[in-house]
Amino acid sequence: MSMDLHEQGMSSRTFVIAAIVCVLLQAGLAPQISIAGGRVNFMIILVCLSVFSGDPTRAVVCGFCSGLFYDLSAAVPVGVMSLLLTVGSFALVHSAVGQTGGTPSARGITVGAFALVINVIYSIILLFMGLETSFVVAIFGHALPSSILTGLVAIPFLMSGVVPQSGYGFSARGGRQTGMRFKPKTRKLK
């Protein structure tokens, strides 16, 4: 039991460090770098890290706070990203239940898909508000490049150990996998 508490503390400590790094990068680096019209959204990465930590309450609160920080640190309407990340983190928590111990590549695909959905909806909302000029520019000029950049930048965060790694996977035994691909051969008794 004490081992579980120790691992929980380490997970919380590394999550707080990752949250501070994401906030600093969002405030200092993200506004300065634009590649093909897209910008990295470190707040989406932070929300995905909180979702993969396995705590639904932390994920939704982190979604709201991350969205609010994004809205207050950029020249965008306040509340839009906060709403999207709150609802998105709630949906992702309930759809990614089995990925808390999944492989980093599966989590990376989930982060990329989540970033794409959030950025497309965000671009469409900005289009309806009159802040984007056209649908094509909103989707292919901002949402798609931003999602690709966010997915690529999320890889080091996913590999850094912020998200708990587990040896559990898809197994008929339901236990820890031993690395054997096939069942051992047994002799039949005659």
Side-chain angles (χ1 to χ4, degrees):
M1 185 63 142
S2 65
M3 188 62 131
D4 292 337
L5 292 175
H6 177 68
E7 289 175 2
Q8 176 81 18
M10 288 298 287
S11 176
S12 295
R13 187 176 332 150
T14 55
F15 179 76
V16 169
I17 292 170
I20 291 170
V21 169
C22 283
V23 165
L24 291 176
L25 289 174
Q26 181 67 40
L29 188 65
Q32 307 300 324
I33 297 176
S34 176
I35 300 173
R39 296 183 187 273
V40 178
N41 189 343
F42 289 98
M43 297 297 102
I44 290 177
I45 296 170
L46 181 59
V47 167
C48 289
L49 291 176
S50 68
V51 165
F52 293 140
S53 72
D55 186 10
T57 305
R58 178 197 293 183
V60 173
V61 170
C62 181
F64 175 75
C65 294
S66 298
L68 189 62
F69 181 79
Y70 180 86
D71 288 337
L72 294 175
S73 65
V76 294
V78 176
V80 176
M81 186 60 80
S82 181
L83 175 68
L84 288 176
L85 287 183
T86 302
V87 173
S89 65
F90 180 77
L92 192 60
V93 161
H94 292 294
S95 67
V97 171
Q99 288 191 11
T100 55
T103 62
S105 62
R107 290 189 205 129
I109 292 169
T110 304
V111 170
F114 180 70
L116 183 63
V117 168
I118 294 295
N119 284 325
V120 165
I121 295 172
Y122 188 71
S123 293
I124 290 172
I125 290 173
L126 292 181
L127 180 69
F128 286 142
M129 295 178 79
L131 298 174
E132 289 285 344
T133 57
S134 73
F135 182 77
V136 174
V137 171
I139 302 299
F140 297 109
H142 296 294
L144 189 61
S146 294
S147 301
I148 292 170
L149 288 173
T150 301
L152 290 175
V153 171
I155 293 171
F157 285 96
L158 295 172
M159 300 294 287
S160 67
V162 174
V163 180
Q165 303 291 330
S166 173
Y168 294 97
F170 297 109
S171 171
R173 293 174 283 159
R176 186 173 282 274
Q177 293 180 350
T178 59
M180 293 176 51
R181 182 178 171 115
F182 302 105
K183 291 182 181 178
K185 292 184 179 181
T186 57
R187 293 190 299 175
K188 294 181 182 177
L189 298 174
K190 294 183 182 181

